[in-house]
Amino acid sequence: MAETMKGLKRSHRCTEVSQKNIGETVTVMGWVQKSRNKGGIIFVDLRDRSGILQIIFEESDVKEEGFKKAEKLRSEYVIAVVGKVEARSGAVNDNLLTGDIELRATEVRILSESDTPPFPIEEDSKTKEELRLKYRYLDLRRPDLQKNLIMRSKVATLTRAFLAEEGFLEIETPMLTKSTPEGARDYLVPSRVHPGNFYALPQSPQLFKQLLMCSGYDRYFQIVRCFRDEDLRADRQPEFTQMDMELSFVDVDDVIDVNERLLQKLFKEVLDVEVSLPIQRMPYKEAMERFGSDKPDLRFGMELKDVSDVVKGCGFSVFTTALSNGGSVRGINATGQGNMPRKKIDALVDFAKGFGAKGLAYIAMSEDGTNKSSFSKFMTEEEMAALINRMEGKAGDLLLFAADEDDIVFDVLGNLRLEIARNLELLNKEEYKFLWVTEFPLLEYSKEQERYVAKHHPFTMPMEEDLHLLDTAPEKVRAKAYDIVLNGTEIGGGSVRIFQNHVQEKMFEVLGFSKEDAYDRFGFLLNAFKYGVPPHAGLAYGLDRLVMLMAKEDSIRDVIAFPKVKDASCLMTDAPNIVEEKQLVELGIEVSNVEEPTTEC
Amino acid sequence: MAETMKGLKRSHRCTEVSQKNIGETVTVMGWVQKSRNKGGIIFVDLRDRSGILQIIFEESDVKEEGFKKAEKLRSEYVIAVVGKVEARSGAVNDNLLTGDIELRATEVRILSESDTPPFPIEEDSKTKEELRLKYRYLDLRRPDLQKNLIMRSKVATLTRAFLAEEGFLEIETPMLTKSTPEGARDYLVPSRVHPGNFYALPQSPQLFKQLLMCSGYDRYFQIVRCFRDEDLRADRQPEFTQMDMELSFVDVDDVIDVNERLLQKLFKEVLDVEVSLPIQRMPYKEAMERFGSDKPDLRFGMELKDVSDVVKGCGFSVFTTALSNGGSVRGINATGQGNMPRKKIDALVDFAKGFGAKGLAYIAMSEDGTNKSSFSKFMTEEEMAALINRMEGKAGDLLLFAADEDDIVFDVLGNLRLEIARNLELLNKEEYKFLWVTEFPLLEYSKEQERYVAKHHPFTMPMEEDLHLLDTAPEKVRAKAYDIVLNGTEIGGGSVRIFQNHVQEKMFEVLGFSKEDAYDRFGFLLNAFKYGVPPHAGLAYGLDRLVMLMAKEDSIRDVIAFPKVKDASCLMTDAPNIVEEKQLVELGIEVSNVEEPTTEC
């Protein structure tokens, strides 16, 4: 039978007790981490959010009744202990904040008993994730998850304080809003009052924050839940959190300035990491050509090199065909990997094929000066030498080449570069390399839709110097868009927005929207734009990803209290689930019997 | 054609310019509030979030081109102005922060033109709310709404900073969660991956915050969106914001303590209002008997008096019948209202009937010592005198009586008391009277469901001294629940939670839930409770209501950026709306054709 706290008041959290308190009587409360009886003395490690404190029970101190209770203690029992702080009698435990003290109990109460947990509550759990997610309330007791969520809370608190000081207002935007089918799939919410009508959960507060700029709020921010009904990947969740902001009367540099100072503050105060400013900027085109990626990981080199001009007349038709089809031949130099076993090279070739490469050409340069190559037989010695020379290949290096359309070459080599770095363990999680990627293409051509689509969104401002290309070569127009990249992950992105009606109309024209289409989708924003719009720009971070990197985790599930798994379900609550028929009737909807087609009548 | 900001950078917001800047060149940007040409000089009031600055355009300063632009300016044009700050040449305007200066323009750019707005952008708008909500982006430009949203942002920022300092962690809980049909109606979200299954949007994070306590997070808070699909009233919205918190190893006093300090800080820093602590506490029973309400407005007296014993033997059957049916007779004294015209008294009687009264008995005591009464003919002079004496009636007072079941008497007189106070304009919005209402009944009997239901929720802890009544007289059990009331509005409420399995099981038994029922609904919480639960308690504020009172508004729509109207629709975006058939097919749902029943086949 559980006891109550009546008459007791916690005086300290476990690790708030220290040498300073020796001789004092304190009251602590928490969970039994472990308990052992050593020669008639019971030692209990008591755990709370702050850490662990060792408690000593001796019958002479806690009386017979108290000692009997102490004997009953098992892992995860919740207890309250009154006792006297003493210097530790045994060896000091350097792994504990409180390793030099212990608490000699004079009173103990068992506030709550516990069944044996299905897995141990310990750091670096070996338990498989499915079981941990089912018992998430126990998993969340593990110190590493607690550290992550405490860090997340700190990031949010610091961000809010910083932005408030910079004159940003936190303004809440609606969750039950209008479906605007552009971008990802919406989550819908049936309306009971208007049967047959639906709200959509927001994919982002984009339109609302732009309206707030039209309304003169000048600087907006929000840490806000967003929703996308997409198939999940490792770093995606159906609901995720954006740190979202928008500023009026600014241009690219103003947005970048305030965000650099924000990032600098966060990394200093949370991780004690110095981010030196300004953060490097790189145009999209350069990022693709040097790293094969619009979110380059700058923690290592292994840059792409264009060898098209070197191989253009060579005898290797894979290279020359790619070139004559308008593509390119590019390579990376995996320095010092010339002795990579054939099996591993083959694995890299397979990896490359996964990104659309037809193959991967290589030159493995041994320390002894001999080269193995998949294509040397098609080349002259001079051609090989020129190629190696261009790649700055030295004895002991491994040179890898892709030949195809640019898009494929970049994707293949960009990913290959990362794969090799992972294999060689070049990716140090203690190192933080930031990069702004700028001058993104405004549009990309969608073969599926047979039209241009906005790369960012249809309100992104073209660069002034490219405006004249909107009619003649839309694919060449660069946008005033920017992404902030950390260690090869895009942690945020944004743009300057169009604020002139004539530019917006031209943009819709290029996207193939009729005026009616445009008003159907974005009518309230376009109407708002008739009444005086300030120049404005914004940026949104994926908070989950940012904290994941700060916490040095590989999955955003490790920085979300109650995450969902790949099929968008929650293993703990079993959401989504079947609801009562009455609820559906009230909403005026029915579940289609997709499995069993209705019989003819 | 709109110009751009290129080469310009805003140096100040409008009211950041002051006498200190006289002689300096500054750059301001904002909206034209009004513009007038007075003898060849153009005066423009420029508006931004901070307020208004007067700009002067003379052709000699801005050149011909600039002056031509200035002549074109109309309300709501967005402009950038470079100019020199001067002492105001005309009369100082005490209504403006910048009333003693003006800006002499040397350069002007029209960044965005504006159509004539459908209503003027001004304080205390006379425009009807429907039109303002349709053009919410314009309505939000009005200084009073801007003041409200700026205040809301400040309240949130201060709350977060305070709670972070008190050791609370902000932890985000899911929005796509499980429907638990107890309480209000859920908003549902169909699952695409699991056709026929639904998520529910949370009515509150109650279960998750209790889980976080089980997981050892110790102190949790969140400013979080919640959803209830109920028919709307003036102070309800389908989505609303809670400031939600939960604490471990605490009892009632600990929760009250931290919240009193929070409220004190908010009112001091936002309104410069001193809240003196401790805030008064009143048990539910006393609140009902003295004020006829569980959320008494303490800004005025007019307390209820029980006169049952005085009238028990009288000749007025309305009184005696109520008493013999187990009810009571109670009255209020509307001091000084003895001369209220008959018409107004009749209106009060009708008002009372709206709350279930069969009628309202009154004694109107003239200044001249004569009394008019609806029931004196049934009473002896002595009985009347005793009644007036109990009511402390004096010449010039109006005594009003209700006789019925207690519930109805309280409801009638409690509301009548407020109605009279409203009519007499006793409700001063500058005055803030806080009250904790405590010792709420744990349960109330639902005639509809023929069972007891939880007044707060099924996890609320009974008061220890009443535990023994759970079997014999459940309706008498008081809960460790508390509401924080401000000026007659409940702005927050909470409770200590049950943390012992055997009490929780007893609670479900009293509520008539089988063990299976209970697990169906709350299984994951009950499972979590098997593994060591700390005593815990919490509280949640309705942020919308709190800010409404702080902003001295009558509707929460005035403190929400994009509110919905009574039918839960948004007049600006037209949400909810029809979606594409394709979207429904993907979700595996169909709209039932409730209007036109299907014909027989």
Side-chain angles (χ1 to χ4, degrees):
Chain A
M1 185 71 97
E3 300 176 276
T4 73
M5 288 175 18
K6 200 163 189 176
L8 292 188
K9 203 171 160 64
R10 178 171 67 171
S11 65
H12 297 74
R13 292 202 182 86
C14 285
T15 66
E16 289 167 3
V17 184
S18 73
Q19 284 227 331
K20 279 188 228 154
N21 305 99
I22 285 176
E24 289 175 22
T25 296
V26 302
T27 304
V28 291
M29 304 186 186
W31 284 257
V32 172
Q33 178 70 26
K34 61 181 179 191
S35 165
R36 57 203 184 283
N37 190 326
K38 237 166 79 180
I41 304 178
I42 294 168
F43 294 87
V44 166
D45 278 358
L46 187 71
R47 186 193 72 231
D48 67 14
R49 182 177 98 183
S50 74
I52 280 176
L53 176 66
Q54 178 167 286
I55 322 270
I56 291 197
F57 295 90
E58 285 201 70
E59 194 162 345
S60 52
D61 304 313
V62 282
K63 313 281 157 50
E64 194 188 335
E65 188 206 344
F67 197 75
K68 272 191 183 150
K69 283 192 235 167
E71 283 180 319
K72 282 174 56 185
L73 297 182
R74 298 285 171 272
S75 287
E76 302 310 313
Y77 276 41
V78 178
I79 60 173
V81 179
V82 183
K84 210 169 192 176
V85 183
E86 296 183 347
R88 190 168 291 218
S89 48
V92 166
N93 181 344
D94 289 328
N95 295 323
L96 287 185
L97 272 173
T98 58
D100 52 359
I101 54 167
E102 58 200 9
L103 185 67
R104 180 165 293 273
T106 54
E107 185 184 347
V108 58
R109 294 196 200 166
I110 299 178
L111 300 177
S112 180
E113 299 183 351
S114 171
D115 290 357
T116 303
F119 52 82
I121 308 302
E122 63 188 6
E123 225 150 327
D124 298 321
S125 178
K126 301 287 175 293
T127 309
K128 69 175 184 162
E129 197 180 9
E130 283 67 29
L131 189 66
R132 290 194 287 108
L133 287 175
K134 183 177 174 197
Y135 294 94
R136 186 64 164 178
Y137 41 84
L138 297 179
D139 196 30
L140 283 171
R141 293 184 183 181
R142 296 190 306 106
D144 29 10
L145 274 185
Q146 295 208 340
K147 230 175 290 166
N148 292 351
L149 291 183
I150 289 170
M151 181 185 287
R152 183 180 179 121
S153 176
K154 195 168 176 189
V155 168
T157 301
L158 288 168
T159 300
R160 287 188 161 104
F162 175 85
L163 292 177
E165 267 198 25
E166 295 281 330
F168 287 80
L169 301 171
E170 184 155 26
I171 300 176
E172 297 179 63
T173 53
M175 291 277 154
L176 295 173
T177 180
K178 190 186 177 183
S179 181
T180 52
E182 174 84 4
R185 213 183 272 113
D186 283 324
Y187 277 104
L188 297 182
V189 182
S191 161
R192 178 179 55 85
V193 185
H194 304 276
N197 289 259
F198 295 80
Y199 303 96
L201 299 178
Q203 296 186 22
S204 90
Q206 183 63 35
L207 300 179
F208 290 104
K209 69 176 180 172
Q210 290 195 243
L211 286 180
L212 287 170
M213 294 305 100
C214 293
S215 302
Y217 285 81
D218 204 287
R219 294 190 161 206
Y220 143 96
F221 85 99
Q222 196 180 187
I223 298 185
V224 61
R225 204 69 55 82
C226 301
F227 303 86
R228 284 182 201 169
D229 187 8
E230 295 296 342
D231 300 312
L232 300 191
R233 290 192 256 137
D235 58 347
R236 289 265 174 94
Q237 286 277 317
E239 48 179 317
F240 57 98
T241 302
Q242 274 189 1
M243 297 198 325
D244 191 41
M245 67 181 76
E246 193 80 10
L247 301 79
S248 289
F249 302 114
V250 295
D251 208 332
V252 177
D253 284 347
D254 305 281
V255 179
I256 284 186
D257 166 65
V258 73
N259 280 286
E260 289 190 343
R261 289 183 293 110
L262 170 61
L263 289 168
Q264 187 179 53
K265 177 174 159 149
L266 289 179
F267 277 74
K268 178 66 190 167
E269 298 203 14
V270 176
L271 297 173
D272 200 26
V273 164
E274 298 288 352
V275 178
S276 63
L277 302 188
I279 289 170
Q280 185 182 348
R281 298 189 200 180
M282 190 180 290
Y284 171 87
K285 190 161 178 282
E286 181 183 341
M288 295 306 287
E289 288 180 352
R290 289 177 55 192
F291 301 96
S293 167
D294 60 359
K295 40 180 193 285
D297 191 330
L298 299 188
R299 284 175 295 176
F300 63 99
M302 224 191 294
E303 295 189 18
L304 277 59
K305 289 213 163 67
D306 189 346
V307 298
S308 303
D309 60 323
V310 180
V311 300
K312 69 169 181 269
C314 81
F316 187 31
S317 67
V318 168
F319 287 173
T320 50
T321 308
L323 293 175
S324 58
N325 288 340
S328 60
V329 183
R330 295 167 201 260
I332 56 176
N333 181 345
T335 318
Q337 297 304 308
N339 295 322
M340 190 180 284
R342 180 63 193 262
K343 240 188 197 163
K344 284 199 172 174
I345 296 180
D346 287 346
L348 291 180
V349 175
D350 285 344
F351 178 84
K353 285 180 178 167
F355 291 88
K358 293 183 204 78
L360 201 60
Y362 66 85
I363 307 173
M365 306 175 71
S366 294
E367 295 288 356
D368 65 9
T370 62
N371 297 339
K372 273 179 243 163
S373 167
S374 55
F375 62 95
S376 58
K377 53 187 163 193
F378 305 108
M379 308 274 279
T380 65
E381 260 182 51
E382 291 71 30
E383 283 166 352
M384 283 299 273
L387 185 56
I388 290 171
N389 184 46
R390 169 64 62 87
M391 293 301 297
E392 296 174 27
K394 287 179 207 65
D397 290 352
L398 174 66
L399 312 180
L400 297 156
F401 302 92
D404 215 311
E405 293 169 29
D406 271 347
D407 283 1
I408 293 176
V409 170
F410 289 144
D411 207 29
V412 166
L413 292 183
N415 280 292
L416 197 63
R417 179 180 170 268
L418 288 173
E419 176 71 1
I420 294 170
R422 275 187 295 265
N423 292 346
L424 300 179
E425 297 179 359
L426 296 180
L427 304 176
N428 176 7
K429 285 185 179 171
E430 302 288 339
E431 193 182 0
Y432 293 98
K433 290 280 194 184
F434 288 92
L435 175 70
W436 289 105
V437 178
T438 61
E439 301 182 17
F440 277 84
L442 181 70
L443 302 155
E444 52 192 0
Y445 192 78
S446 162
K447 286 176 192 163
E448 194 190 336
Q449 299 183 54
E450 297 184 327
R451 64 173 179 100
Y452 285 101
V453 295
K455 191 159 170 85
H456 197 60
H457 58 60
F459 310 106
T460 303
M461 180 81 93
M463 283 174 67
E464 274 133 43
E465 45 272 61
D466 292 353
L467 269 174
H468 66 282
L469 296 170
L470 267 175
D471 285 313
T472 53
E475 72 284 357
K476 288 196 181 151
V477 178
R478 290 164 301 165
K480 284 192 165 183
Y482 32 78
D483 277 358
I484 176 75
V485 173
L486 172 57
N487 290 358
T489 298
E490 178 220 321
I491 56 169
S495 65
V496 175
R497 324 299 182 185
I498 298 171
F499 73 99
Q500 311 100 322
N501 276 326
H502 68 283
V503 180
Q504 189 65 65
E505 277 167 22
K506 167 63 67 184
M507 182 72 178
F508 283 135
E509 195 187 307
V510 175
L511 292 173
F513 290 2
S514 70
K515 198 156 183 176
E516 205 188 352
D517 276 353
Y519 270 83
D520 258 11
R521 288 162 196 254
F522 311 111
F524 55 96
L525 186 69
L526 299 178
N527 281 325
F529 272 35
K530 292 178 185 160
Y531 300 99
V533 194
H536 58 293
L539 185 139
Y541 293 90
L543 178 62
D544 308 300
R545 285 198 212 169
L546 172 62
V547 176
M548 176 187 84
L549 293 177
M550 294 178 83
K552 302 172 184 66
E553 296 286 359
D554 294 314
S555 162
I556 57 172
R557 289 188 299 278
D558 290 327
V559 297
I560 295 173
F562 301 102
K564 295 188 173 61
V565 292
K566 274 208 178 146
D567 70 351
S569 72
C570 169
L571 298 181
M572 184 187 71
T573 61
D574 286 332
N577 59 342
I578 306 278
V579 297
E580 291 176 13
E581 186 57 28
K582 192 186 85 176
Q583 293 175 276
L584 300 186
V585 170
E586 282 191 311
L587 294 174
I589 60 169
E590 289 168 22
V591 171
S592 321
N593 210 334
V594 281
E595 308 296 90
E596 303 160 18
T598 48
T599 49
E600 283 168 47
C601 50
Chain B
M1 185 71 97
E3 299 176 277
T4 74
M5 290 176 18
K6 199 162 187 178
L8 292 188
K9 202 171 160 69
R10 178 172 67 172
S11 66
H12 296 74
R13 291 201 183 86
C14 284
T15 66
E16 288 167 3
V17 184
S18 73
Q19 284 227 328
K20 277 187 230 156
N21 305 100
I22 285 177
E24 289 175 22
T25 295
V26 302
T27 305
V28 291
M29 303 186 187
W31 285 257
V32 172
Q33 178 70 26
K34 60 181 180 193
S35 166
R36 58 202 183 284
N37 190 327
K38 237 165 81 179
I41 304 178
I42 294 169
F43 293 86
V44 166
D45 278 358
L46 187 72
R47 187 191 72 230
D48 67 14
R49 183 177 96 183
S50 75
I52 280 176
L53 176 66
Q54 178 168 287
I55 322 271
I56 291 197
F57 294 89
E58 288 199 68
E59 195 164 343
S60 52
D61 305 313
V62 282
K63 315 278 157 55
E64 192 189 338
E65 186 206 342
F67 197 75
K68 272 191 184 149
K69 282 193 235 167
E71 284 180 317
K72 280 175 55 185
L73 297 180
R74 299 285 171 271
S75 287
E76 304 310 313
Y77 276 41
V78 178
I79 60 174
V81 180
V82 183
K84 211 171 192 175
V85 184
E86 297 183 346
R88 190 167 290 218
S89 47
V92 166
N93 181 344
D94 288 330
N95 294 323
L96 288 185
L97 272 172
T98 57
D100 52 359
I101 54 167
E102 57 199 11
L103 186 66
R104 180 165 294 275
T106 53
E107 185 184 347
V108 58
R109 295 198 201 165
I110 298 177
L111 302 177
S112 180
E113 300 184 352
S114 171
D115 289 356
T116 302
F119 52 84
I121 308 302
E122 62 188 7
E123 224 151 328
D124 298 322
S125 177
K126 301 286 174 293
T127 308
K128 69 174 186 163
E129 198 180 9
E130 283 68 27
L131 189 66
R132 291 195 286 109
L133 288 175
K134 183 176 173 197
Y135 294 94
R136 185 62 163 180
Y137 41 84
L138 296 179
D139 196 30
L140 283 170
R141 292 183 184 182
R142 296 191 305 108
D144 29 10
L145 274 184
Q146 295 209 341
K147 231 176 288 167
N148 292 351
L149 291 183
I150 290 170
M151 181 186 286
R152 184 182 178 119
S153 176
K154 194 168 176 188
V155 167
T157 301
L158 287 168
T159 299
R160 287 189 161 107
F162 175 85
L163 292 176
E165 265 196 27
E166 295 281 331
F168 287 80
L169 301 171
E170 184 153 27
I171 300 176
E172 296 179 64
T173 53
M175 292 277 154
L176 294 173
T177 179
K178 190 187 176 182
S179 181
T180 53
E182 174 83 3
R185 212 182 276 111
D186 282 325
Y187 277 104
L188 297 182
V189 182
S191 161
R192 178 179 55 86
V193 185
H194 304 274
N197 288 258
F198 295 80
Y199 304 95
L201 299 178
Q203 297 187 22
S204 89
Q206 184 63 36
L207 299 178
F208 289 104
K209 70 177 179 172
Q210 291 196 241
L211 286 179
L212 287 171
M213 295 304 101
C214 293
S215 301
Y217 285 82
D218 205 287
R219 295 189 161 205
Y220 143 95
F221 86 100
Q222 195 180 188
I223 299 186
V224 61
R225 204 69 54 83
C226 301
F227 304 85
R228 284 181 202 171
D229 186 8
E230 296 296 340
D231 300 313
L232 300 192
R233 290 191 258 137
D235 58 347
R236 290 264 175 92
Q237 285 278 317
E239 48 179 316
F240 56 97
T241 302
Q242 275 189 1
M243 297 199 321
D244 191 41
M245 65 181 77
E246 194 80 9
L247 302 79
S248 289
F249 302 116
V250 295
D251 208 331
V252 177
D253 286 347
D254 305 283
V255 179
I256 284 187
D257 167 65
V258 73
N259 279 286
E260 289 190 342
R261 288 184 292 111
L262 169 62
L263 289 168
Q264 187 178 53
K265 176 174 161 148
L266 288 180
F267 277 74
K268 179 67 190 165
E269 298 203 14
V270 177
L271 297 173
D272 200 25
V273 164
E274 297 288 349
V275 178
S276 64
L277 302 187
I279 288 170
Q280 185 183 348
R281 298 190 202 181
M282 190 181 289
Y284 171 86
K285 191 164 178 283
E286 181 184 340
M288 294 307 287
E289 288 180 351
R290 288 177 56 193
F291 300 95
S293 168
D294 60 359
K295 41 179 192 285
D297 191 331
L298 299 188
R299 283 175 296 176
F300 63 100
M302 224 191 293
E303 294 189 16
L304 278 61
K305 289 213 164 63
D306 189 346
V307 298
S308 303
D309 59 323
V310 180
V311 302
K312 70 165 177 268
C314 80
F316 185 32
S317 67
V318 168
F319 285 175
T320 50
T321 308
L323 293 174
S324 59
N325 288 340
S328 60
V329 183
R330 296 168 201 261
I332 56 175
N333 182 345
T335 319
Q337 296 305 307
N339 295 323
M340 190 180 284
R342 181 62 193 263
K343 241 187 194 166
K344 284 200 171 176
I345 296 181
D346 287 346
L348 291 181
V349 175
D350 285 344
F351 179 84
K353 285 180 178 167
F355 291 90
K358 292 181 204 78
L360 200 61
Y362 66 86
I363 309 174
M365 306 175 71
S366 293
E367 295 288 355
D368 64 11
T370 62
N371 296 338
K372 273 181 242 161
S373 167
S374 57
F375 60 95
S376 58
K377 55 188 165 195
F378 305 109
M379 307 275 277
T380 65
E381 263 183 45
E382 291 72 30
E383 284 167 352
M384 284 297 273
L387 185 56
I388 289 171
N389 185 46
R390 169 64 63 88
M391 293 302 296
E392 297 175 25
K394 288 178 206 65
D397 288 354
L398 174 66
L399 310 181
L400 297 156
F401 301 94
D404 214 313
E405 291 170 28
D406 270 348
D407 283 1
I408 293 177
V409 170
F410 289 143
D411 206 28
V412 166
L413 292 182
N415 280 292
L416 199 61
R417 181 179 168 268
L418 288 174
E419 176 70 1
I420 294 169
R422 275 188 294 265
N423 292 345
L424 299 179
E425 296 179 359
L426 297 180
L427 304 176
N428 175 5
K429 284 185 180 171
E430 302 287 338
E431 193 183 0
Y432 291 98
K433 290 280 195 184
F434 287 92
L435 175 72
W436 289 104
V437 178
T438 61
E439 300 182 19
F440 277 83
L442 182 69
L443 303 155
E444 53 191 358
Y445 192 77
S446 162
K447 286 175 191 165
E448 194 192 333
Q449 299 183 53
E450 298 184 325
R451 65 173 179 99
Y452 285 101
V453 295
K455 194 165 166 78
H456 196 62
H457 58 59
F459 310 107
T460 303
M461 180 82 92
M463 284 174 66
E464 274 133 40
E465 45 273 61
D466 294 352
L467 269 174
H468 65 282
L469 296 170
L470 266 176
D471 285 314
T472 53
E475 71 283 359
K476 289 196 179 150
V477 177
R478 290 164 300 166
K480 284 193 166 184
Y482 33 78
D483 276 359
I484 177 74
V485 173
L486 172 57
N487 291 358
T489 297
E490 180 219 319
I491 56 169
S495 65
V496 175
R497 324 299 182 187
I498 298 171
F499 72 98
Q500 311 98 326
N501 275 327
H502 67 283
V503 180
Q504 189 66 63
E505 278 168 21
K506 167 62 72 184
M507 182 73 178
F508 282 135
E509 195 186 309
V510 175
L511 292 173
F513 290 1
S514 70
K515 198 155 182 173
E516 206 189 351
D517 277 352
Y519 270 83
D520 258 11
R521 288 162 196 256
F522 311 112
F524 56 95
L525 186 69
L526 299 178
N527 280 326
F529 272 34
K530 292 177 185 161
Y531 299 100
V533 193
H536 58 293
L539 185 137
Y541 293 90
L543 179 62
D544 309 300
R545 285 198 211 169
L546 172 62
V547 177
M548 175 187 82
L549 293 177
M550 294 179 84
K552 302 173 184 65
E553 295 287 358
D554 294 314
S555 163
I556 57 173
R557 289 189 298 278
D558 290 328
V559 297
I560 295 174
F562 301 100
K564 295 189 174 61
V565 291
K566 273 204 179 149
D567 69 351
S569 72
C570 169
L571 299 182
M572 184 186 72
T573 61
D574 285 332
N577 58 341
I578 307 278
V579 297
E580 290 176 13
E581 186 58 27
K582 191 186 88 177
Q583 292 176 279
L584 300 185
V585 170
E586 280 190 313
L587 295 173
I589 60 170
E590 287 168 22
V591 171
S592 320
N593 210 334
V594 282
E595 308 296 271
E596 303 160 16
T598 48
T599 49
E600 282 168 49
C601 51

